[in-house]
Amino acid sequence: MQYVGGKQKSGGAQTAGVINTLVKRRKLRTVAEPFCGGLSITYRLKAPQVHASDGCEALITLYRRMQQGWRPPDLLTREEWERLRAANDPSDPMTAFAGFGCSRSGGWFSSFIEFNRRNYTDIPAALAARESLENKLARCKLVGFKAGDYRELVEVLAADLVYCDPPYKGTIPYKAIVEPFDSDAFWAWARSTSERRLVMVSERVAPEDFVPLLTFSLQNRLVTRAGGERRVEHAFVHESQLETWREAL
């Protein structure tokens, strides 16, 4: 399923690989991902316990319902998409399915798309989104999903390792998030949490005491159509943990 800022083609495999290596070498038991988004990291994580959460309640509703056996449709009409956008019901799994999976470039109800291009063939966007979700969630059967604030979830606070892919500073928030994201408060939390847990953060920029462990150069799908330049993203860790994380490289 398309998702703005997703890591499916922008370092997801490499990032998860480093986390999994550290989990294995250090015999860690719990990994928490409090900004699970499109699951491009989540479905690759290998730990005895994986907890995935997000501030978007509608998104977590979709994942939990699909874990329970619910299947999205193969087709979605513009009229149904517009109805779901107007209702904006976080308890309906179709809300996030339409809002991300059937919207241009995975932007929350950005604009309706009926077809996606795959191997030079147009296929229904709903079918592409459903197949992508089913493939990922087939590897997330034991993942615990929960909606909530990253600072308040017990699963995050008690994890051995926390991976964060928060909304990037300076980017436009989407309406699926109830409150504007405070990047400064997040980094203060990440710094404090790094005193007790292993923490990795994906972002473009970070405070000086966080250093890049991995670096990726990529092209945003939203920018590509406008002919924009590539951007650079990093996986940051606190300087006090750098040597520990380097074990996994």
Side-chain angles (χ1 to χ4, degrees), residues 18-30:
V18 169
I19 293 172
N20 291 336
T21 297
L22 200 55
V23 166
K24 183 177 181 179
R25 289 188 177 183
R26 292 266 169 163
K27 294 182 171 56
L28 306 180
R29 292 201 55 79
T30 57

Side-chain angles (χ1 to χ4, degrees), residues 10 13 22 25 29 40 48 54-55 70 72 74 80 82 95 104-105 128 140 156 228 230 236 238 243-244 247:
S10 58
L22 200 55
R25 289 188 177 183
R29 292 201 55 79
S40 295
D54 201 277
W70 178 81
D74 292 348
E80 180 66 5
E82 291 176 346
T95 300
R104 187 164 304 282
S105 298
C140 296
V156 175
R230 297 178 69 83
F236 291 100
H238 192 263
E243 292 306 313
T244 298
E247 295 176 12

Side-chain angles (χ1 to χ4, degrees), residues 38-193:
L39 302 182
S40 295
I41 297 291
T42 313
Y43 83 92
R44 293 180 166 109
L45 294 177
K46 299 176 181 178
Q49 296 179 30
V50 176
H51 302 288
S53 54
D54 201 277
C56 178
E57 182 182 351
L59 190 65
I60 299 302
T61 294
L62 172 62
Y63 295 156
R64 295 182 72 174
R65 287 290 300 277
M66 289 190 69
Q67 271 190 328
Q68 297 164 3
W70 178 81
R71 299 189 76 199
D74 292 348
L75 296 170
L76 188 73
T77 65
R78 180 183 295 274
E79 291 74 22
E80 180 66 5
W81 183 90
E82 291 176 346
R83 185 194 68 78
L84 290 162
R85 179 180 61 180
N88 197 26
D89 180 2
S91 66
D92 183 352
M94 282 297 298
T95 300
F97 182 74
F100 292 115
C102 299
S103 299
R104 187 164 304 282
S105 298
W108 179 256
F109 284 109
S110 53
S111 62
F112 173 72
I113 54 170
E114 188 173 3
F115 295 99
N116 276 338
R117 194 76 171 168
R118 180 197 289 172
N119 298 328
Y120 305 103
T121 303
D122 287 333
I123 65 170
L127 175 61
R130 194 196 76 189
E131 290 179 346
S132 173
L133 283 169
E134 289 180 335
N135 288 337
K136 290 177 179 177
L137 286 165
R139 295 169 63 177
C140 296
K141 292 180 179 179
L142 299 180
V143 173
F145 287 105
K146 183 176 290 187
D149 189 301
Y150 67 95
R151 295 163 293 189
E152 299 174 358
L153 293 171
V154 173
E155 292 82 359
V156 175
L157 301 176
D160 296 318
L161 186 153
V162 182
Y163 168 72
C164 301
D165 185 16
Y168 289 178
K169 187 173 184 177
T171 57
I172 300 173
Y174 56 84
K175 294 181 180 178
I177 297 296
V178 176
E179 298 179 358
F181 189 74
D182 187 334
S183 291
D184 292 336
F186 166 76
W187 283 112
W189 173 88
R191 182 178 296 108
S192 174
T193 303

Side-chain angles (χ1 to χ4, degrees), residues 192-203:
S192 174
T193 303
S194 294
E195 296 175 0
R196 306 179 303 279
R197 314 278 181 242
L198 289 168
V199 177
M200 175 188 280
V201 180
S202 287
E203 239 285 18

